[in-house]
C-alpha cells in the first residue's frame, strides 16, 4: 500500500516495474491506473515473466512485459519512443520462487547445482565463480558484497578445497568447517555475495538508476 501510494503520482502515466517477478506490485499499480495508464514490466528471469503474463492477463491492453536487465532499459524505452516515465520501481534482492527452486542454486538449505543466475541465458554461474576465482578476489567479494568479517579466512578455505565444489551443500559444508558461530548469517552473506557477483547486480543497478533519472518526469518517483 505504501509503495502504491508514493509511486503513483499520475494515474494516466507510464510506469516501469523493473523487477516484475510474478507481478504482485505490477497488479497493484495497474489496478490504480486509469485505462490510459500503462505499465512496462521487466525482469531478467524468463520463468517469472511467464507467470506474470498469466497473473496480469486482465491488463493486457495496458501492459508490456519484456525480458531485460537494468542496463538494457534505456535502449528499450527509446525503441518504444518513450521519453518520460511517471515512476520506476526496483524491488531488489531475490524472489522467493528462486529460493524455493533447488535447481536454481540460490539456497543453502536445499541441495542444487551452484548456479544462481537470474537470467538462465547468461554464461557465468556460481560454480564458475567458486571454482575459478583467486583467493584475493573471493575475499574482496565476500567483504564488499556480503559484509562478511571472516572474508579472508573463508576465501582461503574455499580456494584450498581438496575437491571440486559442485553443489550448494558442498559449499555449505566448507563454510560449516570454518565458521564456529552464527553459521546461518554467514551462509546468507556468502551466498548473497556470490549471487551479486554472478549477476553483476550492483553494476546493473547503477545503470538502472541512471536510466530512471534520465526518463523520470518532474515530480515523479523512483
Amino acid at each position: 500500500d505504501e509503495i502504491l501510494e508514493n509511486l503513483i503520482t499520475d494515474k494516466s502515466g507510464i510506469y516501469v516495474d523493473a523487477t516484475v517477478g510474478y507481478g504482485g506490485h505490477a497488479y497493484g499499480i495497474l489496478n490504480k491506473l486509469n485505462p490510459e495508464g500503462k505499465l512496462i514490466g521487466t525482469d531478467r528471469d524468463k520463468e517469472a515473466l511467464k507467470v506474470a503474463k498469466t497473473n496480469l492477463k486482465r491488463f493486457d491492453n495496458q501492459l508490456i512485459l519484456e525480458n531485460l536487465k537494468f542496463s538494457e532499459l534505456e535502449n528499450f524505452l527509446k525503441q518504444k519512443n518513450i521519453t518520460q516515465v511517471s515512476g520506476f520501481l526496483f524491488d531488489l534482492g531475490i524472489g522467493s520462487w528462486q529460493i524455493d527452486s533447488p535447481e536454481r542454486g540460490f539456497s543453502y538449505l536445499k541441495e542444487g547445482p551452484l548456479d544462481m543466475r537470474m537470467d538462465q541465458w547468461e554464461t557465468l554461474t556460481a560454480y564458475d565463480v567458486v571454482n575459478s576465482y583467486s583467493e584475493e578476489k573471493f575475499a574482496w567479494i565476500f567483504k564488499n558484497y556480503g559484509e562478511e568479517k571472516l572474508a579472508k579466512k573463508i576465501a582461503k578455505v574455499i580456494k584450498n578445497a581438496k575437491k571440486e565444489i559442485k553443489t550448494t551443500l558442498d559449499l555449505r559444508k566448507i563454510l560449516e568447517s570454518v565458521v564456529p558461530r552464527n553459521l546461518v548469517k554467514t551462509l546468507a552473506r556468502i551466498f548473497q555475495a556470490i549471487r551479486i557477483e554472478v549477476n553483476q547486480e550492483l553494476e546493473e543497478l547503477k545503470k538502472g538508476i541512471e536510466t530512471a533519472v534520465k526518463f523520470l518526469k518532474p515530480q515523479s518517483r523512483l
Side-chain angles (χ1 to χ4, degrees), residues 2 25 38 42 68 138 147 158 173:
E2 289 86 350
H25 284 114
K38 304 277 187 215
T42 67
L68 293 176
F138 277 138
E147 298 179 10
I158 291 176
K173 284 173 188 170

Side-chain angles (χ1 to χ4, degrees), residues 72-204:
E72 297 168 329
L73 266 175
E74 180 171 2
N75 282 340
F76 179 75
L77 292 172
K78 285 177 178 174
Q79 285 168 12
K80 294 291 180 184
N81 295 316
I82 294 167
T83 56
Q84 288 196 315
V85 173
S86 295
F88 281 84
L89 175 62
F90 295 85
D91 182 16
L92 304 176
I94 189 170
S96 59
W97 69 90
Q98 292 166 325
I99 296 172
D100 292 339
S101 303
E103 67 275 9
R104 300 294 297 271
F106 286 105
S107 175
Y108 52 80
L109 296 173
K110 303 170 183 177
E111 183 154 32
L114 277 172
D115 193 325
M116 300 195 197
R117 291 172 297 171
M118 290 179 174
D119 179 353
Q120 296 284 282
W121 292 96
E122 295 285 352
T123 54
L124 182 70
T125 67
Y127 172 88
D128 300 322
V129 170
V130 168
N131 289 284
S132 67
Y133 276 23
S134 68
E135 186 178 323
E136 292 74 20
K137 196 164 184 180
F138 277 138
W140 189 92
I141 289 167
F142 298 155
K143 182 184 176 195
N144 289 280
Y145 295 165
E147 298 179 10
E148 174 54 58
K149 291 177 181 175
L150 298 174
K152 287 185 179 179
K153 188 176 180 182
I154 292 169
K156 187 170 188 174
V157 172
I158 291 176
K159 196 61 192 172
N160 293 334
K162 291 186 171 66
K163 61 179 184 177
E164 201 176 25
I165 304 168
K166 292 182 178 179
T167 72
T168 52
L169 291 194
D170 288 345
L171 180 56
R172 177 178 176 136
K173 284 173 188 170
I174 288 174
L175 295 172
E176 284 173 347
S177 72
V178 71
V179 180
R181 295 188 300 275
N182 294 324
L183 174 65
V184 171
K185 288 185 178 179
T186 295
L187 284 168
R189 288 192 286 258
I190 296 301
F191 271 67
Q192 171 185 288
I194 295 169
R195 189 201 81 219
I196 288 172
E197 173 65 17
V198 167
N199 296 287
Q200 292 296 296
E201 290 177 42
L202 298 187
E203 278 303 306
E204 284 292 321

